Amino acid sequence: MANGSMDRRAFSEPPEQHGGNGNGMGHSAEYTGRYVVVLDPRDQESGLNALRSSAGIAPVERVRGAAAANVTELLERPDVSVLFENLSVAVVEVPPDKRFALVTTAEAESSILAAEPERWVYASPITAPQQAPTDFYPAYRSDEDVVARHSLAETAVSLGPALDEQSVTWGLQVIRANVSGMSGRGVKVAVLDTGVDTDHPDLVGCVEETASFVPGQTVEDAHGHGTHCIGTVAGPADPRQGPRYGVACDARILAGKVLANNGRGPDGGILAGIEWAIARGAKVISLSLGARVLPGAIFPQTYEMLAGVALEMGTVIVAAAGNSSLRPGLVSPVERPANCPSILAVGSLDKAMRMAHDSCGGINGEGGEVNIAAPGVSVRSAAPGGGYATMSGTSMATPHVAGVLALLAEANPDASAADLKAMLLAGALPLTHPVRDVGAGLLQAP
């Protein structure tokens, strides 16, 4: 048996197709009706043959590397299954009466490592009114005593001064990106989101390549989420209109549109984006997206295995922890796929180093922890149409982390992806908040 009880649990929810309500905020998972299957990379064909004979999957089209940029139409066809060869993962079409056969085959066939229903994933939305922002932030000094105390909100207020965002956003100030000697020069960061405003005056210089994995939609961002995230990663040192808001001003952006203009996309498009980004040399993949999970749920084996493959191929995946909490009364579990052990999960802080009221926490144990926290409330960045917008959420915290990983990659060109992860967490500033909420602490630039 290749998978055991974990897959049984993954299949325990009914994999019927749901249209969804467009915001992903219901507790029930929303499925596309297809399945994601991870195959043994040394023996992909045995697994596919088993699924053909027992589950009647649709004929398989193989896609490899950068060719994934052209896979959108294939993923839409009900008569085709798609195998991403580098990742060794397939998105398969299965007749409704053969779904149980797919489950039993996945459990019995040793060359099938994992299989799960494909889900819809969302740009992480804010679910409740935001907390009123504070006018103060922790003052930064070099002596350890102050550093040790500055994580307390009370200390932050007493240390003031009032936040000045005339030249640099508060987020860049608290992670010290504005005083880093690094700029991310030459490091590729893939932002898989709702696309990008390719004509934005601040971003035309940093977007190196684009691809849309959304049927019928170009990479242009009619939503705004993707453009905002890309701006936080790599907005320029001297934007057309201040303050500076980009962490790694000289990083190169691979903009993959995996969420439609309504902020929704299936796992298959995200997997295609990951295959494409790795092939194009991304050192970091930033995922400001997710799907809710219930308390006690386990992480998805499919994404965990993909994240492990990505690390081996030199790419760190970072993802938003999710915004479904209603603090202080309710702390919801870290969402999918950030709840995978090999993916960095990012929590959200406000200007006073308080947890964002909606930031999810590590309450689901193995793999479901928050790894690090970053600025995520009232974050200013680029917006479609050449302008600017202020947004909040773990979606906004995540690209801060992606940007700092680019800085670390520039400073340590020979470091492996695992080394970069370790350095990022080791450099975080410990906070007094529960580890459940902030992991290693506040993100810090090298």
Side-chain angles (χ1 to χ4, degrees), residues 8 73 77 100 126 148 236 276 296 312 363 392 399 408 429 433:
R8 280 289 188 187
E73 300 304 324
R77 288 175 53 180
F100 185 75
I126 297 299
W276 168 74
E312 292 175 0
I363 65 173
S392 298
L408 286 167
L429 191 65
H433 307 312

Side-chain angles (χ1 to χ4, degrees), residues 316-333:
V316 181
I317 299 179
V318 53
N323 309 319
S324 51
S325 292
L326 291 171
R327 296 172 185 268
L330 171 66
V331 178
S332 297

Side-chain angles (χ1 to χ4, degrees), residues 28 51 70 88 111 115 158 251 293 423 427 434:
S28 298
L51 294 174
N70 303 314
S88 199
S111 61
S158 67
V293 300
M423 285 188 278

Side-chain angles (χ1 to χ4, degrees), residues 10-11 13-15 31-32 34-36 115-119 267 336:
F11 280 92
E13 298 176 58
Y31 299 106
T32 68
R34 301 182 298 194
Y35 289 79
V36 177
E116 295 166 338
E118 184 189 40
R119 290 184 62 169
D267 286 329
R336 175 184 185 273

Side-chain angles (χ1 to χ4, degrees), residues 175-177 179-182 403-409 411-412 424 444-446:
I175 67 170
R176 302 171 64 92
V179 296
S180 172
M182 301 294 120
V404 169
L405 282 166
L407 303 181
L408 286 167
N412 304 277
L424 182 91
Q444 293 287 277

